[in-house]
Amino acid sequence: VGHQDVRFYEIACLISKWQGATRTESSKSVIETHASIVRGVNGASVAARTGQLRLPPSSRNVPPGQGQMHRMLRRAHFRLAQFADNLYTQATARLSSPEWSLSEKLRARNEEELASLKLGRAQKRARLGQGGGNGAAGRDPKMTREEALAVEEEIRVLHRRIFPLEKQVLLDREETGKLKDDRVKWLLIALQAYRRCLEAGSTGGLGTTGVSVPPGSYQGGSSTSSSGADQRVVFRIVDIWFSVCGSVDGFQQKTFGGNGLVEKVNEDVAKLVQRSNVPSWNFLPLSYQICGRLGTESVPGNEFSAVLRQLVDRMAGEHPYHVLYHVQALKRGDRVGGAGPLSESYSAPRQKIEAAKDVLECFARHSKHHGNMVSQMDVMIEAYIELARHTVDAGRGASDGSFQIPTACKKRALRDLDLVPIVTANVPVDPTMRYATGSFPSFVNFEDTCRLVGGINQPKLVNAFGSDGVAYKQLAKAGNDDLRQDAVMQQLFLLVNRLLMDDPATRTRGLKVGTYKVVPFTPAAGVLEWVDNTTLLSEYLLGGGSVDNLSVKPTKGAHDRYRPTDWRHRDCRDRMASCATREQQKAAYESVTKHFKPVMHHFFLENFQHPRAWWESRVTYTRSVAVNSMVGYVVGLGDRHSSNILLDKTTAEMIHIDLGVAFEQGRTLKTPETVPFRLTRDIVDGFGACGVEGVMRRCCEETMRVLRANKNALTTVVAVLVHDPILKWAVSPERAADRQRDEEDVDDKKVGQKSKSDGSRGKGTSDAADRTREVSADKNREGNLDAERALMRVAAKLDGYEGSELRSVAGQVQQLLQDAQDPDFLSALYPGWAAWL
């Protein structure tokens, strides 16, 4: 038919999308339409490059640009992939549904009955001598004529029963086989279309945004050729690859059978890895999860390990500062700093450690420059670990509260590290993959002194000077803390921020989740970003010492300063802790709330004295609470007591720290957490006279709308995160009991004293008991069950299910706001959570 106007393909693509959504055409017809559009756009693109494009009159002889053709081709592939992926998802849901399980039992019963009937018929035929031919030569000599006639009649009756049953069994087998074959076919079509979408999007014609990506994490912004759709494509490709070929949980063999799917999926991913027109920065958002699967056991017929190693080697070679920190942390996966079951649960498997070492050795052999980079990185990481583990006498510091850093961390020992960037600085993705000196702030040296921020593990606050002349405040931590889970949660928050930025309504309101950088070096040591001008919510409300200088006299909290006649916080907690029944808890909570009034509104009067600044900060605070509440609810973030929440004194934004209890694990604590997020009276008091109405409710609805609209993207991301072979998103009963007991002990120390938890303002620390993963004889199976449970719950929330009811966005937000403020739920929380604050 010749070449059509590019607008024709755009309209045809949109119509085929509508057909797929409304199902006005068969799946086969929609697939064929998509395929014809892809062929047409591809043919027109090739003809345009060679100067042979024949334009129809409707184009007015205006040839389309190459960028326009590439975008159209990418869109066509993406529509095809989405439609096939939806068919695959529907087929998978049907195969895993209770109705299908029941029908499988019925099919199995029919097959057993058919086999039994056939066996009975064969036995009766044998009695009549009909097994080898006609006649009565083989008939039982003792059988009379009447008996033979009766047996023949029984055979005819059995035949009449067998014939329809056999037909039904064959139809059932065909239906099952067709559904399973179709599912594999849809998956392969989707994977191939996703791959071609990336290839089409990487051939040119796209703008450059110059995103910044910090070492050890990915900022979630657009890279040189990545858009929001490209990120969803990459996540879905990796999700399919891991689930089919990853051998993480060992379930794909029985799920997909021996139909060659594993080989085909590996082959498609290998094409992406090997083709230079598909930039490796597409995979940087998942570099942590990809590196975490190094050392996966090889299985005959499954080249997953080899393809994965090729991908890691390519990413590390082209973007070392965004990948090597993950590999370095995996290399030190056995340095947990302790012994016993806790250390075993933290420690990475030996095969992963050896695989990480091999990756670093191969990288170092590329050139002298690569070798120097690995050597300098090792020196700097070991200095951070030495600093974090260094023990100081808290009573023998300088007059300003500072302490000398270890000799191994001083300038003399850390010279000439010009190839290593500051770990908490933003390092832009370099499209040329050169990362020349001066393109990022390299590490120069530490300040000679550090400060303690409180806590049993003595985390150190230190300044790291960069080549750009900036002093980067960092918190070096070691001990019994595992920072990897915090790092993964920050990764998820960055991706959520990207979705919020892509939506006009949420972008206009500036809705985003407060994030910070977490760079683990071992399972028990790492570096956290430190942000000045922040305070713990508990520190402002209840008082405490200075984080920067523990020698400063503790200050009074807002409750003591503005309502000195109210009950003391300790008295409130003791009253709640003394309750033995639910009725007593409700009565005590009601009494406490009458004698302990909120004071959060004074925070804005103290820090933002100009009327305009006061109004803007209060709106910013309300929006921040809204988006953190909705996102925290979706990912099941628990343990939101006042010592796990920071307030920025310059913007009034809220930032959550200590992210170890996620994906509904708060419900497994000794005293289950029954509220979806923290929305206590002090939190609401900061909203102003309208309370949860107005700005709060509207921003909650807008955030939830965006999250629900991007359900597929979010569930794909969560699926990759929760199936991480290194992390286990579960809290054992013993650890759950220890957690709340430890937090009550910490709360005792906080009131009126200068000692604070390790979280302070370093944003993102956690107690080992809060993070631990159980050692199980069948941990792979249990890990898969935990991951599937978490994924199903996230999907249900994004569908709008609250309990057994399906809600609209407004209805779901209304229910959440009501539950978060319900006195019955609040009174049932453990006293250390301080529901009256």
Side-chain angles (χ1 to χ4, degrees), residues 145-178:
R145 179 177 178 79
E146 290 76 11
E147 291 175 341
L149 292 175
V151 171
E152 289 177 354
E153 180 62 24
E154 291 175 1
I155 291 175
R156 284 192 291 272
V157 171
L158 287 175
H159 183 72
R160 286 194 294 269
R161 293 179 60 188
I162 288 173
F163 181 77
L165 186 59
E166 190 171 30
K167 288 287 186 181
Q168 184 63 48
V169 168
L170 289 175
L171 290 175
D172 289 342
R173 288 176 181 174
E174 290 177 1
E175 180 187 12
T176 302
K178 185 177 185 305

Side-chain angles (χ1 to χ4, degrees), residues 225-506:
S225 67
S226 290
S227 65
D230 288 334
Q231 284 200 7
R232 294 195 293 271
V233 169
V234 171
F235 277 109
R236 186 56 182 148
I237 289 174
V238 174
D239 183 30
I240 293 173
W241 184 35
F242 283 176
S243 62
V244 175
C245 310
S247 300
V248 175
D249 303 302
F251 67 91
Q252 73 279 2
Q253 297 296 333
K254 65 179 182 180
T255 303
F256 295 103
N259 49 22
L261 178 64
V262 171
E263 292 81 357
K264 294 175 182 176
V265 171
N266 277 324
E267 181 181 348
D268 267 312
V269 176
K271 291 178 180 178
L272 286 176
V273 175
Q274 295 166 3
R275 292 181 179 174
S276 59
N277 67 329
V278 180
S280 61
W281 62 62
N282 283 306
F283 295 92
L284 290 183
L286 289 175
S287 56
Y288 178 86
Q289 285 70 35
I290 292 171
C291 293
R293 281 165 173 75
L294 284 171
T296 300
E297 183 180 358
S298 299
V299 178
N302 186 352
E303 296 297 323
F304 174 80
S305 299
V307 177
L308 180 82
R309 177 59 187 272
Q310 292 177 20
L311 178 57
V312 172
D313 286 342
R314 183 183 174 191
M315 289 194 304
E318 296 177 352
H319 306 284
Y321 299 126
H322 308 108
V323 177
L324 289 186
Y325 283 102
H326 303 318
V327 183
Q328 289 277 11
L330 192 59
K331 168 188 171 183
R332 295 168 173 82
D334 55 349
R335 296 173 60 175
V336 295
L342 181 64
S343 297
E344 293 177 8
S345 65
Y346 277 2
S347 181
R350 173 53 54 181
Q351 60 269 25
K352 293 185 177 296
I353 296 173
E354 295 300 327
K357 291 180 178 178
D358 188 57
V359 168
L360 291 173
E361 291 173 359
C362 291
F363 178 85
R365 288 197 295 266
H366 286 175
S367 68
K368 184 178 180 180
H369 174 80
H370 289 77
N372 290 338
M373 185 186 300
V374 173
S375 300
Q376 293 183 23
M377 194 173 289
D378 283 331
V379 171
M380 190 193 67
I381 290 175
E382 292 300 327
Y384 272 110
I385 296 174
E386 175 67 21
L387 175 62
R389 293 182 175 177
H390 179 60
T391 303
V392 301
D393 187 348
R396 301 185 62 180
S399 59
D400 60 353
S402 62
F403 299 86
Q404 288 291 318
I405 64 174
T407 304
C409 302
K410 293 190 175 181
K411 187 173 182 178
R412 292 189 300 273
L414 300 177
R415 292 176 296 180
D416 302 325
L417 298 184
D418 58 308
L419 298 180
V420 181
I422 294 289
V423 294
T424 56
N426 290 338
V427 179
V429 170
D430 185 355
T432 65
M433 298 170 289
R434 297 174 183 172
Y435 293 96
T437 303
S439 63
F440 56 86
S442 61
F443 178 87
V444 177
N445 64 276
F446 289 121
E447 191 177 17
D448 289 337
T449 59
C450 64
R451 297 182 184 275
L452 299 182
V453 298
I456 191 174
N457 295 316
Q458 292 188 329
K460 319 303 190 301
L461 177 62
V462 65
N463 283 327
F465 294 100
S467 58
D468 55 356
V470 177
Y472 295 85
K473 276 193 173 183
Q474 300 171 341
L475 189 70
K477 279 185 58 66
N480 293 324
D481 297 338
D482 185 3
L483 302 180
R484 295 174 298 182
Q485 190 160 323
D486 280 42
V488 171
M489 290 301 296
Q490 290 302 315
Q491 181 184 12
L492 178 59
F493 289 164
L494 289 168
L495 293 166
V496 170
N497 284 344
R498 174 57 191 269
L499 296 176
L500 295 174
M501 279 295 296
D502 287 343
D503 184 83
T506 53

Side-chain angles (χ1 to χ4, degrees), residues 564-638:
T565 60
D566 281 357
W567 286 358
R568 304 299 296 269
H569 170 71
R570 183 191 299 274
D571 296 333
C572 296
R573 196 193 66 193
D574 291 343
R575 287 175 182 268
M576 295 299 300
S578 63
C579 299
T581 64
R582 288 290 296 117
E583 289 72 18
Q584 292 177 353
Q585 286 178 331
K586 293 178 183 178
Y589 181 78
E590 182 178 354
S591 178
V592 165
T593 54
K594 288 181 180 179
H595 296 86
F596 195 88
K597 299 298 182 180
V599 296
M600 186 62 195
H601 64 278
H602 291 287
F603 175 82
F604 305 96
L605 295 173
E606 293 177 5
N607 295 279
F608 308 94
Q609 298 177 2
H610 191 277
R612 179 183 179 88
W614 170 85
W615 181 82
E616 289 178 346
S617 64
R618 202 190 65 188
V619 172
T620 300
Y621 165 81
T622 307
R623 290 172 173 172
S624 178
V625 173
V627 67
N628 277 281
S629 298
M630 294 299 103
V631 175
Y633 161 73
V634 169
V635 301
L637 186 61

